[in-house]
Amino acid sequence: MKISFLIHNAYGIGGTITTTFNLAGALAEGHDVEIVSALRHREHPNLVPDPRVRLRALVDLRKEADHPLHQRPAKVFPAAEYRHHQYSELTDQRIGECLAELDADVVIGTRPGLNVHIARQSPQHVLRVGQEHLTLDNHSPRLRTALRRAYRRLDVITTVTEADAAAYRRKMWLPGVHVEALPNSVPDPALPPADSTAKVVIAAGRLVPVKRYDLLIEAFARVAAVHPDWQLRIYGKGEEQPRLRELIERLGMWNNVFLMGAATPMEAEWAKGSIGAAASNFEPFGMTIVEAMRCGLPVVSTDCPYGPGEIIADGTDGRLVPVGDRDALAAALLDLVGDDERRRRMSRAALDNARRFAPGPVVAQAERLLEAAAAARSTGRTATPQHHRTQSALTGRGHAARDAAHAAASGVLRSIRKGRR
């Protein structure tokens, strides 16, 4: 099977890039796989793709940022999509040409705007798959309305959690489109797992407000007050760094909490710790949680929508605490910091339970999904199981009507504001 992934910018850093490279590399064991990057801004990608996976770009911003067509807004890529300002008539043209000439059996989009391109512009013979790496509820009513119109032409939509797959089935009303949760995969670690002896808690990700590193630092201050020989190491970069550094200094935690900067890959850093931590208000999946568990770290996380609760078995391979609850986060960390045997037991459970996110099981599910969708298309049937087809059409249409009303009202407000300028 020839499989083509369409991604925003394969040359950057981010969870979607990581999981796309992981899945593409694993699929390349038995398939012909390429990654097509809509944009490119540097010579070499930050992450190294599997050598069996071809990588090519459509618009090279190093040479074409000033192209006349790149100065005009995109018309195919939906205006309500977060990345719309980075797309243009030039990207519309290049993506359209790429899809029209596509010599593949399957094309997989990796964000809503690119999924719309695939739905509208892919040749009829190509199996069309749209991936959701955020969540349906994370999108505005205006974008959901645009997606409903386009996504009916897709064959498959994959989400990274069961909760989001259920939301798509309930709210989008896309007859004939198969919706299934396909979790992100994390490669098998190359290093021995952590041995639970290091007095280090590790967190990783973008330093942005939604990740609530401020809450984690404040919770860890209570841990350090009881166990001053323990450290918290935070890996990543982002807009919150100055504020977090000021918080560390204000709490007098400069000997216990360290902002380590970005590290790629993270595996060697996870292996230096004994506990993983995540304090997010919102997490579509929780890639760093799986990475930590695959390296033998039990993870203490907020039980935020959507991913952590589907990854962590509370009390077995980690702990789940209420979102925004500093005291509960501190107490859960203290439980593991102060109990060596519990930490070792949870470490072993984390290693065992996280194997379901290894490339093997995830790729086997992806292959079954694609084969079923291809067979369904050839026979004119839907690949959606019967229990997924029992959703009420009225429920889906009701959500569609509400989103359309919100989108229309937003459009009127935008027009009024423009008129006042």
Side-chain angles (χ1 to χ4, degrees):
M1 190 179 288
K2 296 185 75 172
I3 302 170
S4 181
F5 288 86
L6 181 59
I7 194 169
H8 168 64
N9 188 338
Y11 295 79
I13 296 176
T16 299
I17 301 168
T18 301
T19 191
T20 300
F21 277 35
N22 288 347
L23 181 58
L27 284 168
E29 289 275 353
H31 304 278
D32 183 355
V33 183
E34 71 166 354
I35 296 174
V36 179
S37 182
L39 302 174
R40 177 180 186 172
H41 70 294
R42 64 200 308 268
E43 181 66 23
H44 301 290
N46 280 288
L47 302 178
V48 180
D50 186 290
R52 296 167 297 186
V53 175
R54 298 183 305 283
L55 174 62
R56 61 188 175 104
L58 301 179
V59 175
D60 191 337
L61 296 175
R62 298 170 301 166
K63 306 170 184 175
E64 299 181 292
D66 296 326
H67 192 291
L69 290 181
H70 199 54
Q71 309 309 307
R72 302 175 189 170
K75 295 178 181 177
V76 179
F77 195 96
E81 224 267 39
Y82 167 68
R83 295 281 186 184
H84 180 261
H85 66 285
Q86 294 178 264
Y87 286 76
S88 64
E89 285 192 14
L90 182 62
T91 58
D92 280 355
Q93 180 186 92
R94 297 280 174 82
I95 295 171
E97 290 171 351
C98 168
L99 292 173
E101 300 166 358
L102 199 63
D103 179 24
D105 302 298
V106 182
V107 59
I108 302 174
T110 54
R111 65 175 307 112
L114 298 178
N115 296 341
V116 169
H117 271 281
I118 286 171
R120 292 178 57 179
Q121 298 175 316
S122 295
Q124 189 58 39
H125 70 275
V126 177
L127 196 69
R128 306 166 183 181
V129 180
Q131 290 184 337
E132 175 62 84
H133 286 282
L134 289 174
T135 68
L136 179 63
D137 290 342
N138 186 249
H139 303 320
S140 68
R142 185 177 170 217
L143 179 56
R144 289 197 297 265
T145 297
L147 298 184
R148 279 188 187 90
R149 289 195 293 266
Y151 277 15
R152 291 171 182 268
R153 304 178 190 178
L154 294 175
D155 295 286
V156 175
I157 295 171
T158 66
T159 63
V160 290
T161 63
E162 293 289 352
D164 197 38
Y168 262 90
R169 297 185 196 111
R170 186 174 68 255
K171 298 179 178 181
M172 289 294 275
W173 184 236
L174 301 169
V177 181
H178 180 66
V179 179
E180 185 170 325
L182 180 70
N184 293 332
S185 69
V186 172
D188 298 325
L191 299 173
D195 61 9
S196 300
T197 61
K199 297 181 178 182
V200 178
V201 176
I202 293 181
R206 293 174 298 122
L207 305 186
V208 293
V210 72
K211 298 294 187 180
R212 291 307 308 272
Y213 289 111
D214 58 332
L215 188 79
L216 177 58
I217 291 168
E218 290 167 355
F220 190 78
R222 303 186 185 190
V223 175
V226 182
H227 299 276
D229 51 345
W230 275 73
Q231 295 180 358
L232 169 62
R233 299 178 186 172
I234 299 173
Y235 292 84
K237 59 183 179 180
E239 65 194 66
E240 285 281 278
Q241 182 170 336
R243 193 170 79 88
L244 296 176
R245 193 173 300 283
E246 188 276 331
L247 176 61
I248 292 167
E249 294 182 4
R250 177 157 48 84
L251 294 175
M253 295 291 291
W254 47 80
N255 289 325
N256 296 93
V257 181
F258 302 91
L259 301 180
M260 306 295 291
T264 304
M266 267 293 296
E267 183 181 326
E269 308 309 319
W270 291 122
K272 296 173 186 175
S274 290
I275 301 169
S280 299
N281 288 341
F282 170 78
E283 198 67 71
F285 179 66
M287 195 73 170
T288 60
I289 295 174
V290 177
E291 288 178 355
M293 291 173 67
R294 295 225 68 200
C295 291
L297 273 64
V299 178
V300 176
S301 172
T302 48
D303 191 12
C304 63
Y306 280 70
E310 294 190 16
I311 299 171
I312 297 170
D314 187 29
T316 300
D317 52 24
R319 292 293 309 278
L320 293 168
V321 302
V323 174
D325 192 330
R326 183 183 302 105
D327 292 341
L329 185 59
L333 288 168
L334 280 166
D335 276 350
L336 289 182
V337 166
D339 190 331
D340 294 347
E341 177 51 37
R342 178 180 296 177
R343 197 167 64 246
R344 283 193 290 269
R345 185 170 65 249
M346 285 193 174
S347 171
R348 292 191 293 270
L351 278 172
D352 289 341
N353 293 348
R355 288 196 178 101
R356 70 190 191 275
F357 300 107
V362 174
V363 166
Q365 183 187 350
E367 289 175 329
R368 286 195 300 271
L369 174 61
L370 295 178
E371 288 166 3
R377 175 188 267 209
S378 68
T379 59
R381 294 180 293 104
T382 175
T384 305
Q386 181 62 40
H387 68 279
H388 289 165
R389 296 201 298 270
T390 58
Q391 68 161 353
S392 167
L394 291 176
T395 300
R397 287 168 179 164
H399 284 287
R402 284 193 290 274
D403 282 346
H406 281 297
S410 298
V412 170
L413 285 173
R414 284 194 301 274
S415 298
I416 292 172
R417 287 172 186 147
K418 285 180 181 178
R420 288 175 177 171
R421 289 175 187 169

